[in-house]
Amino acid sequence: MIVGGGLAGLRTAEELRRQGYTGEVAMIGAERHPPYDRPPLTKKFMLGEVNDVSLAADFGALKVEPWLGERAVGFTAEGRTGGVVLTDRRELAFSALVLATGASPVRLPGTGTQRTLRTLDDASALRSALRPGVRLAIVGAGWIGAELATAAARLGCAVTVLEAGPAPLAAALGPRAGAATVPWYQAAGVELRLGQAVETVEPGGLALPGGGWLAADEVVVAVGVRPAVEWLAGSGIVLDNGVRADERLRTAVPGVYAVGDCAAFWSSRYQRRLRVEHWDGALHGPEAVAANIRGSDQLYDPVPYFWSEQFGRMVQYAGHHTGADRMIWRGDPQESNWAACWLSAAAPGQGERLMAVLTVGRPRDLVQGRRVIAGGMPVDTGVLADPGKSVTSAVLAG
Ligand SMILES: Cc1cc2nc3c(=O)[nH]c(=O)nc-3n(C[C@H](O)[C@H](O)[C@H](O)COP(=O)(O)OP(=O)(O)OC[C@H]3O[C@@H](n4cnc5c(N)ncnc54)[C@H](O)[C@@H]3O)c2cc1C
């Protein structure tokens, strides 16, 4: 039984079949649409360049029973493995359960109309509202805010982005790397207000601290998401910024797994719990879940990967870093192609290791960087900082 009809849910069904599972498989999805791809929603779909974002799930060929437009509201474990999922319509028995319910956008207080951008229905409604001259206020300069600003500016809207932090993407990348994207907003004709908190969304605009006001025809709140796990309260599943899972994506309840945006899994590589809201995790996590349902002992130990298309640039990130890691530039962030690398000290005297890499228009650096991160070898930071030399050539022998 798979709960969640997004990428992670569909991929779990596909992987179970690919790996030879012959038992019954059912999928419960709260949205009425069959599984679809979210990344185009802020990009080509918003621009009207693409209309079909379907993941082309063939439930017949997969022999999967889809319960779409139906919401799971709880489950009870019975016996050693197995139990019953309760939906808003019926009870469905399971012998193994996969939690793949993704995440839901955070909303702001206030009585005005605020849009969020998570679903196909959200994106369709917003797309028809974005006409030339429309005053669009976007709260939050994270990945979604930046991508939406890109599309809306191209559609001729008057776009203002309000960001409470000191730089775009500061929460994900830190203020130094995030600040390198500020000129992109200016060049696209988007007004970016940094350090600008928003108090409430009101009819006709945004109430700002100190009595300030920003008039807007449309308001999109893009201040982050929370894992969609409220329905699991009291089920025995441990909730800890998502569904707490181990390094094999198993939860504390036998026979129950978590995958995709809702899973807070233990990373052996980083020795900490990660919850990764990236398409790549929803794509590959199901391989481990399916294998483990089938009785294997497969570790899920990714170097996380994410991409974003904003202001005409391909931005890619691989790895995981914390504020304690040292950042160096690879190239000049004022140019069109550059990268940032985060380094962590290895054991004393053993040099620094590459923890994460952000690339702008340098896909080869991303591919090589991800491999170097996975290998965990010490690097020569002088070579790494030189964009004329390959990332792999920075690896220190021995
Ligand atoms: C607009 C947008 C653009 C993005 N762009 C990128 C990008 O460029 N690069 C990138 O790496 N990532 C991107 N992402 C992130 C990526 O799409 C997600 O990481 C991915 O969709 C996660 O898949 P998932 O299956 O875990 O969750 P979801 O896709 O959220 O699917 C979960 C599904 O479960 C359903 N559900 C929730 N609760 C219940 C319940 N109780 N019962 C039944 N069903 C339930 C939900 O309705 C939803 O359909 C983007 C996301 C969005 C929203």
Side-chain angles (χ1 to χ4, degrees):
M1 177 69 58
I2 300 164
V3 183
L7 178 63
L10 175 63
R11 287 282 301 126
T12 302
E14 289 175 344
E15 275 301 313
L16 280 166
R17 293 304 185 213
R18 195 185 65 77
Q19 295 181 26
Y21 183 79
T22 52
E24 286 174 51
V25 178
M27 175 193 286
I28 305 167
E31 293 182 70
R32 65 192 162 87
H33 304 287
Y36 61 89
D37 218 11
R38 294 183 203 277
L41 298 182
T42 31
K43 308 176 183 80
K44 289 194 164 165
F45 181 86
M46 193 54 63
L47 287 167
E49 293 172 358
V50 154
N51 290 317
D52 181 6
V53 292
S54 157
L55 285 168
D58 188 342
F59 290 123
L62 282 172
K63 295 197 174 58
V64 169
E65 187 160 16
W67 301 97
L68 299 178
E70 190 156 341
R71 183 170 286 279
V73 294
F75 86 88
T76 322
E78 288 168 1
R80 255 196 57 73
T81 58
V84 171
V85 172
L86 182 66
T87 78
D88 48 10
R89 301 211 196 128
R90 70 197 94 223
E91 282 186 2
L92 295 163
F94 66 83
S95 49
L97 175 64
V98 180
L99 308 173
T101 47
S104 322
V106 173
R107 301 181 73 85
L108 291 180
T111 58
T113 304
Q114 58 180 294
R115 297 179 186 273
T116 52
L117 187 41
R118 181 77 192 178
T119 67
L120 179 54
D121 290 346
D122 294 340
S124 299
L126 179 59
R127 183 167 83 165
S128 48
L130 296 185
R131 309 240 165 275
V134 162
R135 294 169 306 170
L136 170 68
I138 301 173
V139 187
W143 303 110
I144 299 286
E147 292 192 352
L148 177 60
T150 303
R154 272 189 55 195
L155 291 168
C157 302
V159 186
T160 306
V161 178
L162 304 96
E163 166 58 51
L169 305 171
L173 302 177
R176 259 178 86 211
T181 72
V182 169
W184 304 354
Y185 289 75
Q186 288 153 356
V190 173
E191 187 188 349
L192 173 66
R193 298 192 190 177
L194 296 171
Q196 177 64 73
V198 171
E199 282 189 341
T200 56
V201 183
E202 299 300 337
L206 297 172
L208 309 176
W213 175 254
L214 177 74
D217 303 313
E218 295 289 342
V219 172
V220 177
V221 174
V223 296
V225 293
R226 292 213 179 94
V229 295
E230 305 78 9
W231 68 283
L232 294 166
S235 66
I237 291 289
V238 181
L239 300 178
D240 176 7
N241 177 34
V243 177
R244 198 181 169 106
D246 69 7
E247 66 278 21
R248 289 172 176 76
L249 298 175
R250 300 177 301 208
T251 72
V253 179
V256 182
Y257 300 79
V259 66
D261 282 14
C262 73
F265 64 95
W266 181 257
S267 164
S268 306
R269 180 183 303 279
Y270 295 104
Q271 285 295 299
R272 69 183 54 166
R273 198 162 291 288
L274 298 182
R275 194 174 65 75
V276 180
E277 296 161 5
H278 300 168
W279 188 89
D280 194 61
L283 187 75
H284 292 298
E287 292 159 12
V289 169
N292 292 334
I293 288 175
R294 303 207 63 235
S296 296
D297 190 27
Q298 192 168 313
L299 202 65
Y300 178 61
D301 194 18
V303 173
Y305 165 71
F306 176 86
W307 86 96
S308 170
E309 293 158 48
Q310 44 183 283
F311 305 107
R313 291 162 175 86
M314 176 56 98
V315 180
Q316 294 170 288
Y317 176 92
H320 173 78
H321 75 273
T322 69
D325 298 326
R326 183 169 83 90
M327 193 201 95
I328 59 167
W329 298 112
R330 177 173 160 81
D332 180 352
Q334 291 179 4
E335 300 289 327
S336 54
N337 296 329
W338 51 272
C341 303
W342 284 268
L343 300 153
S344 177
Q350 287 184 4
E352 290 177 292
R353 282 176 302 150
L354 185 60
M355 302 304 289
V357 60
L358 173 79
T359 64
V360 177
R362 295 183 68 91
R364 182 173 297 177
D365 282 5
L366 189 284
V367 172
Q368 294 190 2
R370 196 177 186 190
R371 222 177 291 142
V372 172
I373 294 165
M377 291 85 76
V379 289
D380 180 325
T381 56
V383 175
L384 194 61
D386 182 348
K389 296 184 176 146
S390 72
V391 172
T392 20
S393 69
V395 174
L396 291 168

